[in-house]
Amino acid sequence: MYRGWWIVLTAFLTQFASSGASGWVFGVLLLSMQEDLDTTRSAIVGVLVFERLVGGLAGALLGPYVDRHGTRVLTTLSAVVAGLCLFGLAAVQEAWQPYVLWAIFGLTLPGLSTVAPVAAISSWFVRQRTRAIVTYTFGGAMAGLVLAPVMAVIADVSGWRTVWLVMGAVFLAIAPLAWATIRRTPEDVGLLPDGEDVRDESQGYTRGHTPEGGYTQRGGLTQERTGTQEGSRTQEGIGRPSGYAGGAEEDSDWTVGEALRSRAFWLLTAGFTLTMLPASSIYIHMTSYVQNKGYSLEEGAAAVSVYGLAAVFGRLVWGFVVGRLGLHRSLVAWAVLYGVSIWLYALPGAIWAIYATTVLLGIAVAGSLQFRAQAFPDYFGRNIVGSLIGYSSGVATLAGAAAPLLVAFAFDRTGEYTGIFLVFGACCMAAGVGFVFSTPRRVGTPPPAPSLPAERG
């Protein structure tokens, strides 16, 4: 099996554990922790806001490190630190102590969730990047289906502190796997992206001419049919066979500075920031939203389960759509569908209509992580993806951290969720408009000329 798929497995597990710990599992333990620590609901939820803010800042700072040195050390160390933080969480006695531990946990998010997994996968996959990223994003969805019910049983039998001990052990188990499987690029170990066969010099491959000592392609142009509406493009010397039918560029002449000055980067960042508002908040308030419509707690919990199942199915849907329409068109379609699904979700009163629109909402939200993970390497190449995702996530994470509190504030002021959900739908529509104008340049078109010579990455 191609070594890159082991890296995908590791990324799946880090996403599974990190999204479970600070999302699904946290929600299961919320009330128990609140009662045991004798504090308020907002004080407990506040630790996650703090964690996400720290994680966003850390992602912006660590992105350039990932581009230069790879993700092996960062992911391994992050898994160890995350595990130890959760061990500590099992022993807290005062309400302020979780803030310290979750802040430290936030420092591990770039290595486990927001930056490192995407950078590693982008380095190892080009033609099969969509499939690899879809597989990786299943980790977050599976956490809701597996970790939430399992940890709920453990909490019921042994208490919430035992749950954090178990979750800490999960992270510590991931650390040696990350160290054993992750390498910076396939060229570092004499391979090509996607596991393509290394051919002789008559096929255009030569050995030992890259800084990493791997394989590269020399001489002439190779054709690439891209996944965007721009048609066929060509690129020289990118280390892949002629006729390579990928939807992304394996290497690129973009530097970080050039990308940061491009319109495409900022439109992508703005779009993902706007869509982060509903993605990070609606599911947290879903049970309360259903109850506010006059239904029971059990019916609200059932809506969350429907949402989780639809999100799993949605991974397959968006992988198929990208394969058919290409990334750019899929981005626009996703944002528009997301906005429409939120508007529909905010309106119905009958429980069957709530469940039906929850399915559509779950399918839509499934594209959130996938498109954020795939857009930057496909637009700007794999060499600077760590820096770009780090900078972009730093902005989007601020929105994600504030959104749950924004929804709570709106509900406190109005007594309903409809207004804020309609605003979130409009945000997604605005993101779709931005994505329309975020088309990447053709490979033959030079990037914006810098005023001073810029260093790659």
Side-chain angles (χ1 to χ4, degrees):
M1 184 174 72
Y2 176 52
R3 183 169 187 156
W5 290 110
W6 286 102
I7 294 175
V8 173
L9 172 63
T10 302
F12 172 94
L13 292 174
T14 60
Q15 182 69 13
F16 176 80
S18 59
S19 65
S22 60
W24 302 101
V25 175
F26 189 94
V28 168
L29 304 179
L30 176 60
L31 183 58
S32 299
M33 292 180 64
Q34 177 190 345
E35 294 175 347
D36 199 17
L37 297 175
D38 191 24
T39 186
T40 64
R41 185 74 56 90
S42 59
I44 293 293
V45 174
V47 302
L48 293 186
V49 176
F50 201 48
E51 173 228 22
R52 291 171 182 176
L53 290 174
V54 172
L57 177 62
L61 296 176
L62 290 172
Y65 169 87
V66 167
D67 288 335
R68 292 185 176 90
H69 304 289
T71 65
R72 185 188 189 195
V73 173
L74 179 61
T75 299
T76 303
L77 182 61
S78 296
V80 172
V81 172
L84 295 178
C85 283
L86 297 187
F87 282 168
L89 193 61
V92 297
Q93 300 297 329
E94 302 292 337
W96 62 267
Q97 293 169 341
Y99 279 84
V100 176
L101 292 168
W102 281 108
I104 299 173
F105 189 93
L107 294 174
T108 71
L109 291 182
L112 298 173
S113 178
T114 57
V115 177
V118 178
I121 291 172
S122 298
S123 292
W124 282 77
F125 293 91
V126 179
R127 180 174 53 83
Q128 299 186 70
R129 185 176 290 155
T130 297
R131 182 186 303 174
I133 287 178
V134 168
T135 303
Y136 146 68
T137 62
F138 265 107
M142 293 304 295
L145 294 178
V146 177
L147 282 180
V150 170
M151 295 305 162
V153 172
I154 294 176
D156 187 53
V157 173
S158 302
W160 64 269
R161 297 178 187 274
T162 302
V163 171
W164 290 127
L165 290 176
V166 173
M167 288 299 302
V170 170
F171 279 103
L172 293 182
I174 291 173
L177 178 65
W179 182 260
T181 60
I182 297 175
R183 296 296 184 272
R184 192 174 69 88
T185 66
E187 290 86 352
D188 286 351
V189 291
L191 299 173
L192 293 173
D194 301 306
E196 293 290 342
D197 292 334
V198 179
R199 304 177 184 179
D200 60 23
E201 193 164 340
S202 65
Q203 297 294 323
Y205 290 100
T206 57
R207 174 67 182 258
H209 294 289
T210 66
E212 298 85 3
Y215 292 89
T216 187
Q217 187 176 22
R218 305 288 182 187
L221 298 174
T222 59
Q223 289 293 125
E224 175 190 10
R225 180 176 177 79
T226 71
T228 71
Q229 70 271 37
E230 294 175 352
S232 297
R233 306 194 285 191
T234 61
Q235 185 172 356
E236 182 175 3
I238 57 174
R240 63 191 182 200
S242 297
Y244 198 98
E249 302 163 27
E250 178 191 349
D251 289 314
S252 170
D253 53 0
W254 285 91
T255 67
V256 172
E258 291 163 351
L260 292 178
R261 289 190 294 273
S262 70
R263 180 184 67 183
F265 173 82
W266 290 108
L267 287 175
L268 289 175
T269 297
F272 292 135
T273 299
L274 290 171
T275 55
M276 178 65 77
L277 292 169
S280 63
S281 61
I282 289 180
Y283 79 100
I284 293 176
H285 294 272
M286 187 167 286
T287 300
S288 299
Y289 168 72
V290 175
Q291 289 180 283
N292 192 58
K293 292 282 188 179
Y295 299 102
S296 67
L297 174 63
E298 290 74 18
E299 288 169 313
V304 175
S305 298
V306 171
Y307 180 78
L309 287 171
V312 172
F313 177 69
R315 262 72 175 178
L316 301 176
V317 170
W318 293 115
F320 175 82
V321 170
V322 171
R324 290 295 182 270
L325 299 183
L327 178 64
H328 179 249
R329 289 177 178 173
S330 299
L331 268 173
V332 177
W334 164 66
V336 171
L337 177 64
Y338 201 0
V340 171
S341 69
I342 295 172
W343 285 342
L344 293 175
Y345 177 75
L347 297 178
I351 190 64
W352 68 265
I354 293 176
Y355 288 156
T357 54
T358 298
V359 171
L360 185 61
L361 184 65
I363 292 173
V365 78
S368 181
L369 179 58
Q370 176 185 337
F371 285 117
R372 281 189 286 124
Q374 190 169 352
F376 293 103
D378 275 30
Y379 274 42
F380 300 103
R382 62 182 181 139
N383 292 327
I384 58 174
V385 64
S387 296
L388 298 187
I389 289 181
Y391 295 141
S392 178
S393 296
V395 177
T397 301
L398 296 177
L405 292 180
L406 180 62
V407 174
F409 176 77
F411 179 80
D412 289 340
R413 292 292 299 271
T414 65
E416 62 178 15
Y417 291 99
T418 302
I420 189 64
F421 286 173
L422 292 177
V423 171
F424 283 172
C427 289
C428 292
M429 290 296 187
V433 173
F435 289 147
V436 169
F437 298 100
S438 70
T439 51
R441 65 179 175 86
R442 298 175 184 272
V443 173
T445 304
S451 56
L452 294 173
E455 215 174 85
R456 184 184 298 275

